[in-house]
């Protein structure tokens, strides 16, 4: 959730354009997940890899 908080901070408080902020968000998420995001769209990363990571965490808890 901290990764998304940084995205909103970038856009709303630091006034970074959304494309740059989205690229930073994608890079942070990929780093968190330990994957290469080359060729991935942000929505694919969120809907597939991130969703799976949350599901794995919920199952193991």
């Amino acid at each position: 959730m901290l990764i998304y908080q940084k995205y909103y901070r970038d856009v709303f408080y630091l006034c970074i354009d959304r494309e740059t902020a989205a690229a930073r968000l994608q890079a942070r998420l990929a780093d968190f997940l330990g994957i290469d995001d080359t060729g991935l769209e942000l929505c694919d990363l969120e809907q597939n890899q991130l969703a799976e990571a949350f599901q794995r965490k919920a199952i193991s808890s």
Side-chain angles (χ1 to χ4, degrees):
M1 301 311 332
L2 182 60
I3 294 170
Y4 284 99
Q5 181 182 14
K6 288 179 181 182
Y7 167 77
Y8 287 108
R9 179 207 59 200
D10 288 352
V11 172
F12 295 110
Y13 295 108
L14 300 179
C15 299
I16 295 173
D17 67 275
R18 289 184 186 203
E19 287 182 11
T20 300
R24 288 181 181 181
L25 171 63
Q26 182 169 338
R28 288 175 181 139
L29 288 171
D31 185 53
F32 173 75
L33 295 168
I35 63 170
D36 179 13
D37 66 336
T38 304
L40 288 176
E41 295 291 327
L42 179 58
C43 63
D44 293 331
L45 182 70
E46 291 173 324
Q47 291 176 3
N48 297 318
Q49 283 77 16
L50 191 59
E52 289 173 13
F54 279 124
Q55 287 175 352
R56 283 192 306 271
K57 179 67 176 170
I59 291 170
S60 68
S61 294

